[in-house]
Amino acid sequence: MPTYRHQKTGERFFFVHIPRTGGRFVESNLHQNGWIVEQDNIWECLEGAEVAHFHRELYEKYFDVEGIPHIAVVRNPIDRFISASIYLTEAYGNNIQESAEDEDQLKAMIADFPMPESLGWFRQQIDYLSDKTNVWKFENGLGRRFSKWVSNIVGIDIKMDAFIKYPMSRREGVTQLHKTDKLIDTIKSMYKEDIEQLYPELLL
């Protein structure tokens, strides 16, 4: 959830890094385009949350974000949760499909998650957004159109390199939960506000 300053022009903007929405790819491209993170250590924890993934309440408290553009990438809540489920299977084992399909049991697993500083992976996306946030949907791609969109907002041309190397989580490749009808219904119930506000087409 860093603020960025351009090393040549001094222009600033705020990237609202919602977990599991392509943030590490975007951040690596920003760095390649001359944007420098202003925070010393985005992976430290404050108030039980990683700085990199501060939600709105915390970034408005700790960061100087007034008067600068805010951008965020959001993702279909079902796909985002399935992507984040690698952390659940790593923590609880690969045989949790049936438990995860039950909303009460899934909520309990998240509540008891052994890395509470990383609960942002399962937080609703609307908790990260404000009325100042310019929002892009992950499903629309992070290529040329995204580059043009960001460039128009920050006022400096940004080019996205589809082949850029970026830091991968050591958990990538860990077994995900299966996208069964039962799990989809549970996800829809748990992330109802995200769906209503960001992806209403999922209600049809």
Side-chain angles (χ1 to χ4, degrees):
M1 201 67 64
T3 52
Y4 281 89
R5 182 184 300 274
H6 197 273
Q7 59 186 356
K8 291 184 178 179
T9 69
E11 294 291 327
R12 300 177 66 239
F13 78 94
F14 178 46
F15 176 47
V16 184
H17 183 174
I18 301 173
R20 310 310 292 180
T21 61
R24 284 168 292 168
F25 170 79
V26 172
E27 288 173 347
S28 293
N29 269 285
L30 291 173
H31 181 73
Q32 183 166 282
N33 279 265
W35 293 92
I36 305 300
V37 174
E38 293 186 317
Q39 286 69 43
D40 292 330
N41 180 9
I42 63 172
W43 299 112
E44 70 174 324
C45 293
L46 286 173
E47 297 195 31
E50 294 172 326
V51 170
H53 299 141
F54 270 179
H55 53 279
R56 183 180 64 251
E57 179 183 351
L58 293 183
Y59 68 66
E60 289 183 346
K61 178 178 180 180
Y62 286 104
F63 292 169
D64 175 19
V65 297
E66 284 297 318
I68 62 173
H70 295 45
I71 67 168
V73 178
V74 298
R75 187 176 185 181
N76 177 313
I78 298 168
D79 294 335
R80 176 177 177 253
F81 180 87
I82 295 298
S83 176
S85 71
I86 59 176
Y87 301 101
L88 292 176
T89 56
E90 183 189 51
Y92 298 113
N94 293 335
N95 298 317
I96 62 168
Q97 181 74 35
E98 186 174 345
S99 297
E101 290 172 350
D102 179 274
E103 185 171 346
D104 290 336
Q105 292 188 62
L106 180 55
K107 286 180 176 178
M109 281 193 283
I110 293 173
D112 294 334
F113 193 66
M115 292 183 290
E117 72 278 3
S118 298
L119 284 174
W121 298 323
F122 305 105
R123 181 181 286 273
Q124 290 215 94
Q125 294 174 84
I126 58 171
D127 291 348
Y128 293 91
L129 308 176
S130 75
D131 58 2
K132 304 178 184 69
T133 313
N134 296 279
V135 175
W136 180 267
K137 290 190 174 181
F138 180 88
E139 295 74 24
N140 292 329
L142 299 176
R144 187 175 300 173
R145 287 196 301 154
F146 177 70
S147 297
K148 184 177 180 180
W149 178 78
V150 176
S151 300
N152 287 338
I153 292 170
V154 304
I156 296 177
D157 189 38
I158 293 176
K159 298 185 184 301
M160 302 297 288
D161 178 1
F163 302 103
I164 197 168
K165 292 183 179 180
Y166 60 95
M168 301 288 288
S169 168
R170 64 178 178 81
R171 300 171 182 87
E172 301 300 340
V174 172
T175 302
Q176 297 179 342
L177 292 172
H178 300 293
K179 196 190 292 188
T180 62
D181 289 343
K182 284 186 178 180
L183 183 56
I184 289 173
D185 287 343
T186 294
I187 296 169
K188 284 184 174 181
S189 177
M190 287 181 60
Y191 295 91
K192 182 179 179 181
E193 291 177 90
D194 267 1
I195 291 172
E196 289 177 342
Q197 296 187 39
L198 301 172
Y199 289 84
E201 63 273 17
L202 295 178
L203 296 173
L204 301 178

